[in-house]
Amino acid sequence: MANVTVIGAQWGDEGKGKIIDWLSNRADMVVRFQGGNNAGHTIVVGDKTYKLSLLPSGVVQGKRSIIGNGVVVDVWSLLDEIERVGGAGLKVTPDILVLAENAELVLPLHRELDALREEAASQKLGTTKRGIGPAYEDKVGRRAIRAIDLKDIAGLPAKIERLLAHHNVLRKGFGAAEADAGALLESLKEIAPKIVPFIGSSWRELDAARRAGKRVLFEGAQAVLLDIDHGTYPFVTSSNTVAGQAAAGAGISPRQIGTVLGIVKSYTTRVGEGPFPTELKDATGEKLGERGREFGTVTGRKRRCGWFASVLVRQTIIAGGVDGITLTKLDVLDGFPEIKLCVGYELDGKMLDYLPADANEQARLKPIYETMEGWSDSTHGARSWAQLPANAIKYVRRVEELIGAPVALLSTSPDRDDTIMVIDPFVDR
Ligand code: IMP
């Protein structure tokens, strides 16, 4: 069996949605394994655009889709999303969607705490305010409400009491009103019958898929530089986004994650706060943002833009466990007379070929650039190497050399068909 795991290899928003949709066409099952509705994937199919957040991209093609145990699930948001895509003609029923019974829930009090903290902090993290961090805290704090708990309404009051004993202390500290246990119980009771039909076992589904020789696509959210361990801490999300998390977050052997594709944008963007050494706060940065339509799918925030940092991607490939990359949005670089690649950093007069772990050092890094000649012809919509200008091919080859991984796929527009396949990730290596 050949499975594929897809992760973001920069700060997110690399264009994973399109590639996952393209790959899910060739898969039998699609699985989310971390994150929550902080993620946003845009999928364009013909004249339809789907904006997915919690739903695995497999639903677009009617493929069996699993929200794994590693995901934190805002069930209200999930139902809204199911209704929204239903309006666009996609039927998401328990026949295709399974929600892992052991996934933790994101509750309204998590969203509130996320927002209270962001508003009070002198150094903001720039979170999506979806309650993701507080929900993961409750998971590891062993006081979370899980999907399976919606099947046992009688057991909920005791679980809510344990949870609120913790939250009400925090809320008091922010001068906020205590959380209302009765109201939370009522809203969980109300939503339970709508969610329960989707609840199932991720590990058992995947075991059956393995025995049946099915191809599974594991769909990452966010990206390695936002990983709780390997990212630009503390300006990160609260889950592991590296490929290994696909195993823990779905209930499979690490050997089953298959080929790992890292999605890499031809330049760099970031939403939220935190260090970004190649950020361009000038007309070039503006131009990248405009041409790449760099606005957050979830929050609508303007993304910060800068040149490609091979030094970062080399690192995320190693730490994230990436076998090959998909390079996206090459067409955004069309028409730039010259293009810069960040090949290292200078820190207090010393050269570094990696991102140091210390946040203060990260903030002081000065990029070291290599400059390449640009191309004037369009790469937009190219479907073969032959259609690419020579300098665009040179850029791609130089990227491969610098990051130490091959380009398996090249994406040249948001359209599903504008993809050049160099290596088939579903074929066993
Ligand atoms: P949180 O995940 O909402 O806690 O936000 C923490 C950091 O991760 C912030 O910098 C967010 O902007 C960033 N982040 C979370 N989800 C995404 C995503 O899907 N794409 C890009 N950045 C994200």
Side-chain angles (χ1 to χ4, degrees), residues 325-356:
I325 70 159
T326 294
L327 195 65
T328 64
K329 293 186 130 177
L330 185 64
D331 58 308
V332 173
L333 298 181
D334 293 353
F336 278 91
E338 50 181 40
I339 297 168
K340 291 187 178 177
L341 285 157
C342 170
V343 296
Y345 297 122
E346 189 204 312
L347 175 69
D348 307 333
K350 268 183 28 199
M351 303 297 160
L352 298 183
D353 64 355
Y354 62 92
L355 183 80

Side-chain angles (χ1 to χ4, degrees), residues 11-13 38-40 125-129 222 226 236-237 271-272 301:
W11 274 294
D13 312 309
N38 49 349
L125 296 178
T127 75
T128 61
K129 297 187 186 166
Q222 290 88 44
L226 292 171
V236 292
T237 194
V271 268
R301 287 180 291 177

Side-chain angles (χ1 to χ4, degrees), residues 20-348:
I20 287 166
D21 172 57
W22 191 84
L23 289 167
S24 66
N25 192 21
R26 301 150 60 82
D28 301 304
M29 202 180 244
V30 182
V31 183
R32 275 281 306 271
F33 55 88
Q34 48 74 225
N37 62 331
N38 49 349
H41 288 167
T42 307
I43 297 176
V44 182
V45 185
D47 57 358
K48 286 201 166 161
T49 299
Y50 301 101
K51 288 197 186 295
L52 302 182
S53 190
L54 262 169
L55 288 172
S57 302
V59 298
V60 173
Q61 310 202 24
K63 298 286 167 83
R64 195 152 179 82
S65 298
I66 299 183
I67 298 178
N69 55 277
V71 179
V72 286
V73 187
D74 180 327
V75 281
W76 294 273
S77 168
L78 177 62
L79 285 187
D80 283 351
E81 197 176 329
I82 291 175
E83 202 177 292
R84 194 163 37 79
V85 299
L90 284 185
K91 279 211 168 9
V92 178
T93 64
D95 286 337
I96 65 160
L97 179 70
V98 177
L99 166 61
E101 56 197 0
N102 48 346
E104 280 71 20
L105 304 190
V106 180
L107 303 172
L109 53 79
H110 293 126
R111 258 177 287 153
E112 287 158 21
L113 183 59
D114 200 352
L116 284 170
R117 283 184 179 149
E118 277 294 279
E119 276 145 31
S122 51
Q123 172 60 80
K124 298 190 192 315
L125 296 178
T127 75
T128 61
K129 297 187 186 166
R130 294 290 195 273
I132 305 301
Y136 276 113
E137 286 170 34
D138 283 342
K139 171 179 179 166
V140 297
R142 295 162 293 189
R143 55 181 171 263
I145 311 267
R146 306 197 300 171
I148 190 80
D149 298 331
L150 296 176
K151 284 188 169 178
D152 172 27
I153 299 294
L156 276 175
K159 288 169 189 148
I160 291 175
E161 192 188 327
R162 190 179 51 186
L163 181 67
L164 295 200
H166 178 80
H167 275 267
N168 282 336
V169 176
L170 293 173
R171 293 169 74 97
K172 205 170 166 190
F174 284 105
E178 288 202 345
D180 182 340
L184 179 55
L185 178 62
E186 281 315 307
S187 55
L188 288 171
K189 265 189 192 168
E190 197 220 316
I191 203 155
K194 297 176 199 151
I195 293 295
V196 165
F198 291 101
I199 295 175
S201 163
S202 175
W203 71 269
R204 290 179 64 203
E205 281 272 340
L206 287 166
D207 186 47
R210 181 181 62 80
R211 289 168 197 274
K214 299 241 166 96
R215 291 172 160 193
V216 186
L217 175 65
F218 295 94
E219 170 178 4
Q222 290 88 44
V224 178
L225 291 168
L226 292 171
D227 182 284
I228 188 75
D229 289 292
H230 300 284
T232 43
Y233 193 92
F235 304 98
V236 292
T237 194
S238 294
S239 60
N240 282 112
T241 57
V242 292
Q245 175 60 22
I252 50 155
S253 157
R255 282 185 293 276
Q256 269 177 264
I257 66 172
T259 302
V260 180
L261 265 189
I263 314 299
V264 174
K265 206 182 287 195
S266 303
Y267 48 102
T268 312
T269 63
R270 159 161 221 182
V271 268
E273 303 300 317
F276 179 177
T278 61
E279 182 171 13
L280 294 167
K281 294 179 178 163
D282 59 6
T284 307
E286 284 289 320
K287 189 168 161 189
L288 285 171
E290 267 162 38
R291 301 198 51 180
R293 290 186 295 279
E294 297 295 352
F295 294 92
T297 317
V298 174
T299 56
R301 287 180 291 177
K302 200 170 169 183
R303 297 180 186 138
R304 301 153 66 191
C305 298
W307 293 120
F308 185 80
S310 64
V311 63
L312 278 184
V313 175
R314 195 176 77 91
Q315 181 165 337
T316 60
I317 280 172
I318 296 168
V322 171
D323 297 309
I325 70 159
T326 294
L327 195 65
T328 64
K329 293 186 130 177
L330 185 64
D331 58 308
V332 173
L333 298 181
D334 293 353
F336 278 91
E338 50 181 40
I339 297 168
K340 291 187 178 177
L341 285 157
C342 170
V343 296
Y345 297 122
E346 189 204 312
L347 175 69
D348 307 333

